[in-house]
Amino acid sequence: RTEQAASASIAALTVIDRQQIERSQAQSVPELLQRVPGISLVNNGGPGKSTALYMRGSNSNHVLVLIDGIKVGSVTSGGADLQDLSVELIERIEVVRGPRSSLYGSEAIGGVIQIFTRKGDGQGTKPFFSAGYGTHDSYQGSVGVSGGAGNGWYSLATSSADGDGLNVKTADASGYEDDSDGYRNLSGSLRAGYHFDSGLELDGSLLQSRAHNDFDSVSSKRTSGFAANADSEQKVVGGRARFSPLQP
């Protein structure tokens, strides 16, 4: 897993930085990634519902997803829960299309998606805030601060989303229930680091997301399965130490 400049890469590479994320006005990571060439997504009904990602025709479990360098995946669907990641907590996304198993292992048959959370630049304190409201009583808000001084830097942010959701099934569909299927999400991230004069650099990160989903799961005889819902949680903790004593 060697670092190299984007211009020097021989693979099909797309980098989405913080400025592009804000200009896109995307409300979710799947909505942001569906604009990348070679990627297609299948959503199971409205915001927050299970979303499968396919890259260049490969299976959804053949795309490696990394968050701050840590491999992530779902124990139920097999793929990463991209629908539960808040775009407000993300600094940039790097997408490499095509087989990269020689560097990342067998899970990178279709490609690699690297997600990096917000990172301070060490040049003073920079707070940020966002809020939004939409149809179906959907709310969204985020608040955070990043910055640092000298050789140290930090970033702390939290984001929340809530909505009544959509009724995506028709009356003749299996498991139909005449209601809207809502979604709630609360996420937070913390990242900090310090570069010592000796050439040692320490970097740590934490990302946690909790979500609640309502869905239709009524039995064929309509005797059970009403008000079905699921709660999910994902937590990514990582740390890194780098020592470069010969740097000028």
Side-chain angles (χ1 to χ4, degrees), residues 167-178 216 218-220 222:
N167 189 10
V168 298
K169 287 189 175 183
T170 59
D172 57 349
S174 175
Y176 171 76
E177 185 177 355
D178 187 16
D216 291 341
V218 181
S219 65
S220 59
R222 304 191 66 79

Side-chain angles (χ1 to χ4, degrees), residues 106-225:
S106 60
E107 294 181 28
I109 296 175
V112 180
I113 297 177
Q114 294 206 63
I115 300 174
F116 298 91
T117 55
R118 283 182 181 260
K119 178 180 178 180
D121 56 12
Q123 299 180 4
T125 302
K126 297 179 180 179
F128 65 88
F129 168 81
S130 70
Y133 171 78
T135 56
H136 306 288
D137 286 331
S138 57
Y139 302 86
Q140 180 275 330
S142 66
V143 62
V145 61
S146 63
N151 295 338
W153 51 266
Y154 66 90
S155 178
L156 175 65
T158 183
S159 177
S160 177
D162 194 336
D164 289 346
L166 308 170
N167 189 10
V168 298
K169 287 189 175 183
T170 59
D172 57 349
S174 175
Y176 171 76
E177 185 177 355
D178 187 16
D179 67 340
S180 297
D181 299 315
Y183 173 69
R184 297 193 304 270
N185 178 283
L186 179 63
S187 304
S189 67
L190 171 64
R191 193 175 178 189
Y194 192 87
H195 184 84
F196 296 89
D197 295 335
S198 62
L200 175 64
E201 180 181 349
L202 300 178
D203 182 354
S205 62
L206 167 65
L207 173 69
Q208 182 166 341
S209 173
R210 293 181 178 179
H212 175 87
N213 261 306
D214 298 318
F215 58 92
D216 291 341
S217 185
V218 181
S219 65
S220 59
K221 297 182 179 180
R222 304 191 66 79
T223 57
S224 63

Side-chain angles (χ1 to χ4, degrees), residues 10-27:
I10 60 175
L13 174 66
T14 298
V15 178
I16 308 173
D17 58 25
R18 185 63 215 172
Q19 184 179 13
Q20 292 174 309
I21 292 174
E22 293 176 353
R23 292 177 59 185
S24 71
Q25 300 186 26
Q27 300 299 307

Side-chain angles (χ1 to χ4, degrees), residues 55 70 107 127 148 229:
M55 188 180 298
I70 306 298
E107 294 181 28
N229 62 85

